[in-house]
Amino acid sequence: FCLMAVPGKVAAFRLPPLPTVGEIIKLFRLKAQKQLSQNFLLDLRLTDKIVRQAGELKNAHVCEVGPGPGGITRSILSAGVEQLLLIEKDARFVPGLQMLSEAAPGKVCIVHGDILTYKMEKAFPKHLIKNWEDEPPDIHIIGNLPFSVSTPLIIKWLENVSQKDGPFIYGRTQLTLTFQKEVAERLTANPGGKQRSRLSIMSQHLCTVENCFVIPGQAFVPKPKVDVAVVHFTPLVQPKIQQPFKLVEKVVQSVFQFRRKYCFRGIETLFPESGRLKRTEQLMMTANVDPTLRPFQLSMSHFRNLCNTYRKMCDEDPSLFAYSYREELRQRKKTRNLLKSTSQPEQTEEENQL
């Protein structure tokens, strides 16, 4: 459902005097829930700084993910936005957000729902839609995300970027989000960096990713064990790897499966055991990738070559893309256990070989 205050426009918008975020927390007896990995940011100087990273918000349409007690919400409203959509999963925060909605007549819509399932295609007016090649639309997504949801959510949104759907049906919608500092470092890591990972490739091949600044853990209530970083994403006009999202994801996941070993070890897992070595050599030679490089040393062009070559191999053998290394391991283990339960003791050596 959507709660919205009575329509009305204010020329130069300024929030009226309101209880502080801390007072809102006390008033509605709000307590951060550990199982939802909730952490409140009460310092409005920091919430203002987060909102500034999003860019010019005057008369923009903004979606805030997980507003909680409304600290960032106040900073967004103070930036002079046209409309603010709040998506909050925890119903305990709705009354406090409704107070903010009433203080900004006609500007705020509150949705009690889960951002992972919310249909972003209908979140904003159709007149805001821009062509993908144009400048980004006047739409921004901002959020202090719970740690438990941040990684699955950004992977979901990156797939949306790839398919130009979800919040990106309007064009190259920009994102300004918080992550654990370590996750932010992975998102922005360069080749050869310690934090180079699957997230680095998946995000950087689709977006310009900027690690804006770090917020120390003690700024949050309750204090998390880690620091938090603010990351800004702008989708690229052309992805750096022009292959379907699922194919890129499969190749990248396979490569980083054994991140401390040579990269050919992970690439092997793309192929069934029969013919694995020959196909791995074929892929690496055609893609011109040194098999003794470690996964974190591979550049974006290495991954592009690997994905393009793997795509050609899948086109030649359509069953290849459906192959799952983990499933093959499970089946082999199942067969081994079955043989163990039915075989005689003298067959132990044969079982071990299998």
Side-chain angles (χ1 to χ4, degrees):
F1 65 92
C2 182
L3 299 168
M4 199 159 188
V6 181
K9 300 265 177 169
V10 186
F13 181 75
R14 187 185 291 264
L15 280 171
L18 287 165
T20 65
V21 180
E23 287 166 348
I24 291 280
I25 290 170
K26 285 179 186 172
L27 180 65
F28 294 104
R29 296 178 181 177
L30 302 172
K31 191 177 179 184
Q33 294 194 352
K34 195 172 182 181
Q35 66 268 32
L36 297 177
S37 59
Q38 291 174 339
N39 302 95
F40 305 149
L41 189 56
L42 308 186
D43 187 336
L44 293 183
R45 289 169 302 178
L46 284 172
T47 61
D48 285 347
K49 191 176 178 183
I50 291 171
V51 170
R52 281 197 297 274
Q53 301 306 315
E56 178 55 60
L57 295 186
K58 190 160 180 62
N59 300 322
H61 288 248
V62 177
C63 171
E64 186 188 353
V65 183
I72 293 176
T73 314
R74 295 176 187 226
S75 296
I76 295 171
L77 287 169
S78 297
V81 298
E82 178 73 21
Q83 289 288 328
L84 175 57
L85 170 66
L86 304 175
I87 301 175
E88 179 53 67
K89 186 178 179 180
D90 193 333
R92 297 175 305 143
F93 295 117
V94 171
L97 296 172
Q98 181 63 14
M99 188 182 288
L100 279 176
S101 176
E102 289 161 2
K107 285 185 177 284
V108 180
C109 177
I110 304 166
V111 173
H112 176 218
D114 187 342
I115 189 62
L116 286 167
T117 55
Y118 183 72
K119 301 292 182 192
M120 292 293 288
E121 294 87 344
K122 297 176 182 176
F124 304 104
K126 290 283 185 282
H127 70 82
L128 296 171
I129 292 175
K130 285 200 175 183
N131 293 324
W132 195 259
E133 297 75 23
D134 295 342
E135 287 298 303
D138 217 2
I139 293 172
H140 298 263
I141 297 174
I142 300 174
N144 173 29
L145 304 176
F147 296 154
S148 60
V149 80
S150 59
T151 302
L153 183 57
I154 196 59
I155 289 293
K156 177 182 187 291
W157 277 342
L158 288 170
E159 185 167 8
N160 289 145
V161 171
S162 174
Q163 296 169 352
K164 299 177 185 174
D165 60 12
F168 307 98
I169 203 167
Y170 303 92
R172 295 185 296 122
T173 300
Q174 297 177 80
L175 313 169
T176 308
L177 307 167
T178 61
F179 296 88
Q180 285 184 50
K181 185 185 170 194
E182 187 181 308
V183 175
E185 287 169 351
R186 284 185 207 150
L187 285 162
T188 55
N190 293 318
K194 275 195 309 183
Q195 297 287 10
R196 186 75 163 176
S197 67
R198 172 181 74 119
L199 272 179
S200 317
I201 310 302
M202 296 310 294
S203 57
Q204 291 171 35
H205 104 84
L206 289 162
C207 298
T208 300
V209 191
E210 182 189 356
N211 193 339
C212 303
F213 67 96
V214 174
I215 305 172
Q218 61 257 33
F220 293 86
V221 177
K223 177 189 168 186
K225 293 177 181 175
V226 293
D227 292 337
V228 172
V230 177
V231 183
H232 184 76
F233 301 80
T234 306
L236 295 166
V237 173
Q238 288 289 347
K240 291 177 181 171
I241 304 171
Q242 297 198 26
Q243 294 295 347
F245 184 87
K246 292 296 184 190
L247 185 141
V248 178
E249 188 175 44
K250 186 177 183 185
V251 172
V252 173
Q253 276 182 331
S254 297
V255 170
F256 280 101
Q257 195 155 224
F258 306 104
R259 63 173 290 115
R260 296 187 184 280
K261 299 189 177 181
Y262 293 140
C263 64
F264 81 85
R265 181 67 190 89
I267 289 167
E268 282 183 327
T269 65
L270 288 167
F271 304 108
E273 191 174 21
S274 57
R276 177 173 288 157
L277 189 61
K278 185 181 175 185
R279 281 173 143 179
T280 302
E281 286 175 355
Q282 180 192 343
L283 174 56
M284 302 211 73
M285 282 182 67
T286 310
N288 194 25
V289 175
D290 180 348
T292 62
L293 288 172
R294 310 284 178 182
F296 58 86
Q297 293 176 305
L298 298 186
S299 66
M300 191 63 75
S301 61
H302 284 137
F303 278 102
R304 180 168 53 246
N305 292 348
L306 286 169
C307 290
N308 290 343
T309 308
Y310 179 64
R311 171 67 185 270
K312 286 177 186 170
M313 295 173 83
C314 289
D315 288 344
E316 290 164 9
D317 177 4
S319 68
L320 187 56
F321 186 69
Y323 166 73
S324 165
Y325 176 71
R326 290 178 185 276
E327 184 57 35
E328 185 178 60
L329 285 183
R330 271 195 295 270
Q331 290 301 326
R332 280 166 59 190
K333 188 177 179 183
K334 196 175 173 183
T335 306
R336 212 162 41 232
N337 290 339
L338 193 64
L339 283 170
K340 271 185 182 179
S341 63
T342 56
S343 62
Q344 299 300 319
E346 59 263 32
Q347 291 177 299
T348 304
E349 189 179 341
E350 185 184 346
E351 288 170 21
N352 288 339
Q353 286 176 348
L354 183 67

